Amino acid sequence: MTAKKGELVVVGTGISFGHLTMEAKAQIERADIVLAAIPNGVMADYLLQLNPQTESLMSLYGDGRTRPQTYEAMTQRIIDEVQAGKYVCTVFYGHPGVFVTPTHEAIRRLRALGYRARMLPGISAEDCLFADLGIDPSDNGCVSYEATAFLFSRRPIDPTVTMLLWQIGIVGECTLTEYAPGPNAMRVIQNMLLTQFPPDHRLCIYEAASIPGLPTRIDWFPLADLLSIATKPYSTLLIPALCLPEFASERLAELGLSEQDLAAFSPA
């Protein structure tokens, strides 16, 4: 099927001002129209300098809309501009495919309609977290959940693996209109963690710096104090691993190995 006139490229600004990639910048500059969902005023002004045909999608928040209604309005606006035959660049904060519903949905629908649509990678809050906290996810593994999905689902909690709970500041918020934890949600999260971690296990609330020079939030505290810790909608809760996993001795035996043979894989 021949692609129709009109095309979409989705890019991200990264978390901080200097994270915009050269590839993303080039796409912004060449677009017929740039549709931007950027809460940072400094970056929003910069996008206008790169391409005067930049329009904000942020006005689609509010007016009594739930978040899903806002995302649908954004998706449809993107699709309308592509169907008008334009080369559209949509710009979202951070990585454009991480916690961003409209980008994935617009790409899916446009491809189904025969239009070209693609996404370029960007720097996400997770990338910043690994750098700021000095965490290598390959050390003992890392699992990552949206906090409300974790709360509502029966998921195993593995104390041998580092865990990230994204958007802990709106965990359990079911109206999809508020920007605070739902009633009793944080206490339930605490009780879930206490099944596998002791009360003095140290957790961290992390918030990446969005502007160079502003501080990154890195607040360590014991699990017992979780209910007293202030959060924002974009806060991330880091739960470090408590212990190392046991070796699977039966598998090692099948491979002709012992635990001593694996010493070379351990850090000095």
Side-chain angles (χ1 to χ4, degrees):
M1 179 172 60
T2 303
K4 298 179 181 179
K5 185 179 179 182
E7 184 174 345
L8 172 66
V9 60
V10 176
V11 306
T13 62
I15 300 299
S16 188
F17 188 78
H19 292 172
L20 186 69
T21 67
M22 294 176 63
E23 186 179 21
K25 179 174 178 287
Q27 295 300 326
I28 293 168
E29 292 173 327
R30 69 168 289 203
D32 296 323
I33 184 171
V34 176
L35 299 176
I38 305 297
N40 185 317
V42 175
M43 178 57 73
D45 289 343
Y46 180 60
L47 293 180
L48 275 170
Q49 295 176 33
L50 294 179
N51 191 326
Q53 302 304 314
T54 296
E55 299 181 19
S56 176
L57 296 173
M58 297 302 291
S59 62
L60 296 176
Y61 285 100
D63 293 330
R65 290 189 180 102
T66 64
R67 287 191 289 276
Q69 289 170 336
T70 293
Y71 302 155
E72 175 59 27
M74 289 180 173
T75 301
Q76 193 57 55
R77 177 68 198 288
I78 295 166
I79 291 172
D80 288 345
E81 294 291 350
V82 173
Q83 289 183 314
K86 298 177 184 178
Y87 187 89
V88 180
C89 181
T90 301
V91 186
F92 277 76
Y93 176 70
H95 188 298
V98 177
F99 288 100
V100 186
T101 300
T103 55
H104 289 292
E105 189 62 17
I107 288 173
R108 184 189 66 79
R109 294 185 197 176
L110 286 168
R111 286 177 175 173
L113 292 170
Y115 292 94
R116 290 192 179 95
R118 61 195 175 104
M119 179 185 294
L120 303 182
I123 294 176
S124 70
E126 183 178 64
D127 302 310
C128 296
L129 182 148
F130 291 150
D132 288 334
L133 295 180
I135 292 174
D136 185 339
S138 71
D139 281 347
N140 58 354
C142 181
V143 294
S144 179
Y145 303 112
E146 196 279 328
T148 299
F150 174 76
L151 174 66
F152 290 169
S153 304
R154 195 178 300 280
R155 296 182 182 275
I157 300 175
D158 186 348
T160 71
V161 176
T162 296
M163 182 163 63
L164 302 174
L165 294 182
W166 299 100
Q167 298 184 331
I168 192 68
I170 53 173
V171 62
E173 202 293 292
C174 297
T175 70
L176 302 180
T177 59
E178 301 297 324
Y179 292 90
N184 207 38
M186 200 70 83
R187 182 177 298 279
V188 176
I189 288 285
Q190 183 185 53
N191 289 338
M192 291 168 67
L193 296 177
L194 284 169
T195 65
Q196 297 296 330
F197 298 94
D200 62 353
H201 188 62
R202 292 184 64 76
L203 315 183
C204 178
I205 288 289
Y206 174 80
E207 296 165 8
S210 59
I211 298 177
L214 289 183
T216 295
R217 182 182 178 187
I218 302 174
D219 287 347
W220 290 94
F221 58 92
L223 172 56
D225 292 348
L226 178 61
L227 303 186
S228 65
I229 302 300
T231 59
K232 295 179 180 178
Y234 51 85
S235 300
T236 300
L237 179 64
L238 165 71
I239 304 101
L242 175 65
C243 54
L244 295 175
E246 295 181 6
F247 282 114
S249 56
E250 70 284 358
R251 290 182 221 146
L252 292 180
E254 287 186 51
L255 297 169
L257 298 172
S258 67
E259 293 185 23
Q260 290 71 30
D261 294 321
L262 303 184
F265 294 95
S266 300

